[in-house]
Amino acid sequence: MTVPKKRSNPSDCSECMFQRQRFLRKLQPISGFALISLFSLPAAFSPDPATMEVFYYVVFGVLGIVVATLELSKNNKDRINTSSAFTSFKNNYLVVYSLMMAGDWLQGPYVYYLYSTYGYSKGDIGQLFIAGFGSSMLFGTIVGSLADKQGFEQQWLSITFSKAVFFGNGLVAIIAGLFGNLLVHSFSLGPVAPFDAAACFLAIGMAVILSSWSENYGDPSDNKDLITQFRGAAIAIASDEKIALLGAIQSLFEGSMYTFVFLWTPALSPNDEEIPHGFIFATFMLASMLGSSLASRLLSRSSPKVESYMQIVFLVSAASLLLPIIMASLVAPSKVKGGGISFSGCFQLLGFCVFEACVGLFWPSIMKMRSQYIPEEARSTIMNFFRIPLNIFVCVVLYNVNEFPMTVMFGMCSVFLFIASLLQRRLMTIADKPKANDWTPLNERNAEEAPLNI
């Protein structure tokens, strides 16, 4: 026997709605308390070291699997065969470059940490960092112009530097980070140990240079002095909007990147938490390799164009550096000193990995655009012109680092990256327009034109 369904009348519906509203009003204080408790819990939550060690390994392992999959699935059809003489030259250069970069990558993750163990404040450390950026501003422009003046074989630049990026800035950086972590944390040798190891690698590299390298005197027929090169670079920037846009884009991104180099350690350990600096650095470098692998695939295709997808890269990088600001507004800061990385730090670490992946995408892509828009004979000089205001800005920020909260500095970086995305949009708009004064033959611009075939 089927029981007929009772029809609801308007009065029944009104009563149901009234009861529902009463229930929701009673639930609101409870749900609000639960929401507050949810975001207040991480402040008091201190993950045990074993759990956090698993977290580090999981992040590193996932990135490693993705990078290995991308690298092993590459097609060999674009690889270039070279003569045995050139292969010998290339391998010699890669050995030296890898040794020198190992010396840099070993000590890099521990510079801030080492200064802090000596009792320096964040402001003092920021001023000590200025030495590196100041020397880059002072000597980088001159050295870059000398590279333009002396010159190198075009094919050698394309092939050799692509390998150098993969090995020196990829594999060597990861191994150096893990080795530094082993020295400091596993062997308990202290934060000075990576610097001692770096000195050994640099000494070995110097010995290889002295024993196997001869001086490159460049083309004797090209006898332009530095002032002439600087004048030509200034004319190129003023006469072509594309060059000006590209230089501004690179300066904005590098300014954010160099500021991040200083910020990531205090951001992940604001209360002197014990974090594995070398292992985290190796994870960052693995994320950067992931970005480089994606870039090589994108550059080998006709679509999407580099001017198009780089807009997305800048927006994603801007969003990733907003994460510390978001976490600071949602999660109450912890007052406990020491311990392991905080709940908020875990999320920030994942965001920083996304930013490093954007860095990996940035370098091959910016090399591609430089080869398209900037005259080859003055490329390094032109780009170093833009690094002068970049380094001045970074030095000013670091000198006044105590005047800015951490969230303000991350906010500035995000704003710069958003502006870079807008400039990239403008560059894409005018990319197909011919230059008014094309004073460099197109066939001379092939040093970085091919995608990185690694």
Side-chain angles (χ1 to χ4, degrees):
M1 178 177 176
T2 304
V3 180
K5 294 183 180 179
K6 181 181 177 181
R7 289 191 174 184
S8 58
N9 54 52
S11 61
D12 292 336
C13 293
S14 300
E15 179 66 21
C16 290
M17 291 296 295
F18 176 74
Q19 294 295 337
R20 182 180 302 172
Q21 290 173 358
R22 287 185 60 190
F23 174 74
L24 291 175
R25 280 197 296 269
K26 292 181 179 180
L27 185 62
Q28 281 177 353
I30 301 174
S31 60
F33 175 77
L35 186 63
I36 294 173
S37 300
L38 175 64
F39 289 113
S40 298
L41 176 62
F45 175 62
S46 180
D48 62 280
T51 302
M52 297 321 303
E53 188 173 352
V54 172
F55 171 74
Y56 295 132
Y57 287 144
V58 168
V59 175
F60 186 86
V62 169
L63 287 173
I65 291 172
V66 174
V67 171
T69 302
L70 289 174
E71 289 297 323
L72 292 175
S73 62
K74 277 187 176 179
N75 196 330
N76 290 330
K77 66 180 182 179
D78 293 327
R79 299 184 188 272
I80 301 174
N81 295 321
T82 58
S83 65
S84 58
F86 172 70
T87 301
S88 176
F89 165 82
K90 179 187 67 176
N91 292 339
N92 179 269
Y93 171 81
L94 290 176
V95 168
V96 173
Y97 183 80
S98 298
L99 286 169
M100 295 304 182
M101 293 308 299
D104 187 33
W105 298 130
L106 267 170
Q107 49 85 23
Y110 293 97
V111 174
Y112 189 101
Y113 179 56
L114 178 66
Y115 287 144
S116 65
T117 58
Y118 287 150
Y120 290 101
S121 66
K122 184 175 71 173
D124 295 331
I125 298 173
Q127 294 177 19
L128 290 170
F129 266 68
I130 292 175
F133 293 105
S135 62
S136 175
M137 179 178 61
L138 182 61
F139 299 110
T141 304
I142 299 175
V143 173
S145 62
L146 289 175
D148 290 332
K149 182 178 179 181
Q150 304 294 23
F152 293 94
E153 176 67 32
Q154 301 296 334
Q155 184 189 26
W156 291 7
L157 285 173
S158 178
I159 301 173
T160 306
F161 286 168
S162 65
K163 295 289 185 181
V165 169
F166 180 78
F167 289 105
N169 296 347
L171 290 178
V172 171
I174 295 170
I175 295 172
L178 296 176
F179 183 52
N181 191 80
L182 185 71
L183 294 175
V184 175
H185 297 282
S186 300
F187 294 161
S188 301
L189 297 178
V192 179
F195 291 84
D196 296 334
C200 295
F201 281 100
L202 294 174
I204 295 172
M206 182 180 67
V208 175
I209 291 175
L210 292 175
S211 62
S212 61
W213 283 23
S214 59
E215 185 58 70
N216 175 22
Y217 294 99
D219 185 0
S221 63
D222 185 7
N223 199 23
K224 292 186 294 185
D225 57 21
L226 295 180
I227 300 300
T228 303
Q229 288 183 281
F230 291 152
R231 186 182 298 114
I235 293 173
I237 294 171
S239 62
D240 192 347
E241 184 184 359
K242 298 174 191 174
I243 295 178
L245 286 171
L246 193 60
I249 288 169
Q250 178 163 336
S251 295
L252 288 168
F253 188 90
E254 288 189 19
S256 302
M257 181 184 67
Y258 292 143
T259 306
F260 170 79
V261 168
F262 175 82
L263 292 178
W264 74 264
T265 298
L268 296 181
S269 55
N271 295 310
D272 299 326
E273 290 90 347
E274 291 289 336
I275 60 173
H277 297 82
F279 195 88
I280 291 175
F281 176 78
T283 305
F284 288 164
M285 293 300 99
L286 195 57
S288 182
M289 278 191 69
L290 171 61
S292 297
S293 296
L294 291 174
S296 65
R297 288 173 174 268
L298 290 170
L299 291 172
S300 64
R301 301 176 181 178
S302 58
S303 178
K305 290 186 175 181
V306 61
E307 294 85 359
S308 176
Y309 73 74
M310 282 305 294
Q311 298 176 68
I312 301 174
V313 171
F314 292 137
L315 288 176
V316 171
S317 59
S320 66
L321 292 188
L322 281 176
L323 194 57
I325 303 174
I326 296 173
M327 297 305 297
S329 62
L330 294 179
V331 179
S334 174
K335 304 297 184 182
V336 181
K337 291 287 184 179
I341 190 172
S342 65
F343 184 86
S344 173
C346 295
F347 281 95
Q348 293 183 58
L349 177 61
L350 296 177
F352 292 165
C353 287
V354 173
F355 177 75
E356 286 291 343
C358 293
V359 172
L361 274 160
F362 170 78
W363 287 116
S365 302
I366 202 71
M367 288 171 63
K368 175 68 174 179
M369 289 189 288
R370 286 192 313 212
S371 71
Q372 293 175 337
Y373 302 125
I374 301 181
E376 191 273 331
E377 70 271 15
R379 187 171 298 155
S380 296
T381 306
I382 289 173
M383 297 316 300
N384 278 295
F385 255 95
F386 290 98
R387 288 194 175 99
I388 294 175
L390 157 69
N391 284 299
I392 292 175
F393 164 77
V394 175
C395 289
V396 170
V397 171
L398 293 179
Y399 187 80
N400 299 282
V401 70
N402 273 339
E403 306 298 325
F404 304 106
M406 191 80 65
T407 52
V408 171
M409 289 190 286
F410 276 113
M412 285 193 300
C413 292
S414 294
V415 170
F416 290 158
L417 293 169
F418 180 74
I419 295 174
S421 177
L422 296 179
L423 296 181
Q424 184 68 48
R425 175 75 177 179
R426 172 61 181 169
L427 180 61
M428 185 186 71
T429 303
I430 65 172
D432 297 328
K433 294 181 180 179
K435 291 184 0 179
N437 297 313
D438 194 351
W439 53 280
T440 302
L442 189 62
N443 59 6
E444 292 182 9
R445 301 190 195 173
N446 55 3
E448 298 173 351
E449 193 166 317
L452 298 183
N453 299 316
I454 301 170

